[in-house]
Amino acid sequence: MRLDKILANMGYGSRKEIKKICKNGMVRVDGVVAKDSSMHVDPSTQEIVIAGEVVHYREIVYLMMNKPQGVVSATEDLVDETVVDILDPEYYSFDVFPVGRLDKDTEGLLLLTNDGKLAHELLSPKKHVPKMYFARIEGRVTEEDAAKFKKGVTLDDGYTTLPAELNIISQGTISEIELTIYEGKFHQVKRMFQAVGKKVIFLKRLTMGNLSLDEELEPGEYRELTEEEIDLLRG
Ligand code: URA
């Protein structure tokens, strides 16, 4: 791959700017000054150093975000800020997209990647990838609700959900629960509670498949997945 393309992909500047920094002798490939930015380099085997800093080339990136409220799960939006807008510019060139959607007012685990194959596998309705949510509910959530969710509830459009696991953390005028679902219909958690006459007032996703939200991440923060986490996601 051309050196200028590799560096441009990684956000080091336009090809013109990269041409300049190469001319200035700031770039080395395997220890040798690379004056010609059009030279071909294999980023997987050759070491590229810019101004003494090693360039870690990755074509595919995996980010775990604790999605904040008020931001939409899309790559572009005419009105609202998107989860891609809040990434550091170093990620812009990778064309990452969110794997699935969380509502604008939902927080929590959102995977962003440019790995279309993995995204497809995680989102395929046939795969039944489990997703666990924490929620605060207006009203007293009961074991009866848990039994209904276990059987499947009928949503407002007539669809009957797959069995889901409801774990009641606390019961009261406001209840706290964890719910694991194996599909991803539009507004699913909110509509499941609506089906038993209750209202979700706070929703946060905690897991997707084998991947859990890093509790150190504040809303709006994100980090790259570790190799182990990528393997976990692949199942
Ligand atoms: N269910 C919902 O209702 N909203 C979400 O954002 C995710 C699941």
Side-chain angles (χ1 to χ4, degrees):
M1 199 168 172
R2 279 175 64 125
L3 180 58
D4 51 5
K5 182 157 188 226
I6 296 170
L7 297 179
N9 279 353
M10 296 199 62
Y12 281 96
S14 65
R15 288 206 187 186
K16 211 167 151 195
E17 285 161 343
I18 289 158
K19 193 172 176 179
K20 229 183 195 169
I21 59 169
C22 285
K23 269 224 163 101
N24 290 342
M26 287 169 71
V27 181
R28 285 172 181 265
V29 174
D30 287 340
V32 179
V33 174
K35 291 242 168 182
D36 177 7
S37 62
S38 70
M39 77 178 277
H40 279 75
V41 177
D42 178 353
S44 61
T45 58
Q46 292 185 280
E47 186 189 65
I48 306 170
V49 175
I50 298 189
E53 191 186 304
V54 178
V55 170
H56 296 286
Y57 188 70
R58 304 139 302 173
E59 280 176 333
I60 300 220
V61 285
Y62 302 90
L63 303 173
M64 167 194 293
M65 176 182 283
N66 183 357
K67 179 194 165 296
Q69 292 184 11
V71 168
V72 295
S73 304
T75 51
E76 283 172 44
D77 193 279
L78 290 177
V79 180
D80 292 305
E81 196 171 37
T82 72
V83 288
V84 171
D85 291 335
I86 63 173
L87 296 179
D88 195 272
E90 90 170 92
Y91 292 108
Y92 290 173
S93 62
F94 288 98
D95 289 331
V96 298
F97 54 86
V99 179
R101 280 171 187 269
L102 290 177
D103 297 337
K104 187 173 166 185
D105 61 357
T106 301
E107 287 185 15
L109 177 63
L110 187 68
L111 180 68
L112 293 122
T113 184
N114 51 2
D115 182 342
K117 191 164 165 272
L118 183 68
H120 181 75
E121 277 165 20
L122 289 169
L123 296 175
S124 163
K126 287 186 215 132
K127 294 269 161 87
H128 303 305
V129 171
K131 279 149 285 198
M132 182 165 78
Y133 293 85
F134 166 83
R136 279 194 201 98
I137 310 294
E138 206 171 78
R140 189 178 178 81
V141 178
T142 63
E143 288 303 333
E144 224 169 69
D145 296 326
K148 286 182 186 161
F149 282 5
K150 200 168 179 183
K151 274 178 50 194
V153 285
T154 304
L155 303 182
D156 47 8
D157 60 358
Y159 175 77
T160 301
T161 60
L162 290 176
E165 290 137 27
L166 178 64
N167 172 30
I168 301 167
I169 300 170
S170 68
Q171 288 169 306
T173 43
I174 305 279
S175 305
E176 292 192 333
I177 62 94
E178 280 170 354
L179 177 65
T180 304
I181 58 175
Y182 296 84
E183 56 194 333
K185 302 286 172 205
F186 183 63
H187 293 336
Q188 180 153 349
V189 176
K190 291 173 185 165
R191 288 163 74 215
M192 285 176 76
F193 277 97
Q194 194 188 331
V196 294
K198 278 151 211 169
K199 190 172 173 210
V200 173
I201 52 173
F202 174 80
L203 187 60
K204 177 176 180 176
R205 183 156 65 192
L206 303 177
T207 71
M208 185 175 197
N210 296 322
L211 185 68
S212 297
L213 178 66
D214 181 342
E215 288 177 5
E216 303 273 297
L217 293 175
E218 296 292 330
E221 291 185 340
Y222 62 91
R223 65 160 170 81
E224 291 195 21
L225 294 192
T226 63
E227 289 295 325
E228 284 107 60
E229 286 171 333
I230 296 168
D231 287 345
L232 276 177
L233 260 188
R234 292 208 172 103

